[in-house]
Amino acid sequence: EVQLAQSGAEVKKPGESLKISCQGSGYRFSSNWIAWVRQKSGKGRELMGIIFPADSDIKYSPSFEGQVTISVDKSISTAYLQWSSLNASDTAIYYCARLLMVRGNRWFDPWGPGTPVIVS
Amino acid sequence: SSELTQDPAVSVALGQTVRITCQGDILRTYSANWYQQRPGQAPIVVIFGSNNRPSGIPDRFSGSSSGNTASLTITGALAEDEADYFCHSRDSSGDLYVFGDGTTVTVL
């Protein structure tokens, strides 16, 4: 079964650093882009960026460029999202998702369970 | 513009049909995907590429598209279909992705 497992909930203070993870299993991890998606309480989803594990090619959404760092360790099938200095506005649930590309269609499947991050 | 617009909420009587729409100029170029997210759960794809249903998704879910509008239809809604449904497509660069804000479906 194809799965994405994410690290557990985090409670941090403003100014602290954080790195959360997303580990894939059940498929060839290097072959598919992995996306990070933010969802604030009561709000819609926002794409933060995507990374291709095979060569670590990264594309950031303009709103998140310079605010977070996306990385990957393909040897352990794990993608990461990190902050060097959190602030309260980073409070949200963070999802990772695998990007599928078939015959010109692109969609996310599966999604990880989400990592809640509270900064307070 | 790469924005995708959805109605915030819709209700449907048990067993009836509900149509959810997603509007955006980018949909004239790229197809839409639809996801279901129940409270406390991860999203799952119910329609990809405008009108394709993944295996395991009931056939009461269908998708269509016309012009700048993509639609998700639930025919014969069940109580378990209560969830947030959001659309997704590529953005104007073609390399990144945008999401609609979601439509909360309530089954009465």
Side-chain angles (χ1 to χ4, degrees):
Chain A
E1 181 188 4
V2 176
Q3 286 185 327
L4 295 175
Q6 295 189 233
S7 47
E10 302 274 2
V11 179
K12 307 292 280 188
K13 291 180 167 48
E16 292 185 331
S17 63
L18 175 65
K19 190 174 188 178
I20 62 175
S21 66
C22 168
Q23 184 174 43
S25 61
Y27 75 102
R28 189 175 175 184
F29 185 76
S30 292
S31 300
N32 297 97
W33 292 83
I34 292 289
W36 284 100
V37 177
R38 181 175 78 178
Q39 184 175 20
K40 293 189 174 185
S41 180
K43 303 291 186 183
R45 295 93 187 151
E46 303 167 272
L47 179 75
M48 304 176 74
I50 56 175
I51 187 166
F52 192 61
D55 60 8
S56 296
D57 188 15
I58 304 170
K59 302 181 193 296
Y60 289 99
S61 291
S63 300
F64 293 94
E65 181 102 52
Q67 308 304 308
V68 296
T69 301
I70 294 172
S71 60
V72 69
D73 184 344
K74 63 182 179 182
S75 71
I76 56 171
S77 301
T78 301
Y80 300 97
L81 176 66
Q82 68 180 93
W83 296 259
S84 58
S85 180
L86 289 159
N87 57 60
S89 64
D90 294 315
T91 295
I93 299 176
Y94 294 87
Y95 295 95
C96 62
R98 180 183 69 161
L99 179 66
L100 292 179
M101 301 182 182
V102 178
R103 292 190 296 275
N105 294 315
R106 301 183 182 188
W107 69 99
F108 293 117
D109 182 49
W111 294 60
T115 294
V117 174
I118 297 173
V119 184
S120 176
Chain B
S1 170
S2 298
E3 290 184 353
L4 297 176
T5 302
Q6 297 182 242
D7 290 331
V10 66
S11 60
V12 58
L14 187 68
Q16 296 304 300
T17 296
V18 62
R19 183 184 181 201
I20 305 161
T21 61
C22 172
Q23 287 190 300
D25 288 340
I26 203 66
L27 297 180
R28 298 184 186 277
T29 304
Y30 299 115
S31 61
N33 310 299
W34 290 93
Y35 303 86
Q36 175 195 70
Q37 186 172 23
R38 298 187 177 107
Q41 296 186 18
I44 62 168
V45 60
V46 293
I47 294 291
F48 67 90
S50 292
N51 57 10
N52 299 283
R53 197 172 50 250
S55 61
I57 300 300
D59 61 6
R60 63 180 181 274
F61 291 91
S62 62
S64 62
S65 182
S66 177
N68 73 336
T69 302
S71 301
L72 172 69
T73 300
I74 308 173
T75 303
L78 303 179
E80 67 197 51
D81 298 333
E82 270 204 355
D84 187 42
Y85 293 86
F86 62 97
C87 58
H88 154 240
S89 186
R90 290 197 225 181
D91 77 350
S92 55
S93 75
D95 290 331
L96 294 172
Y97 303 90
V98 290
F99 299 100
D101 283 346
T103 298
T104 300
V105 172
T106 300
V107 181
L108 304 173

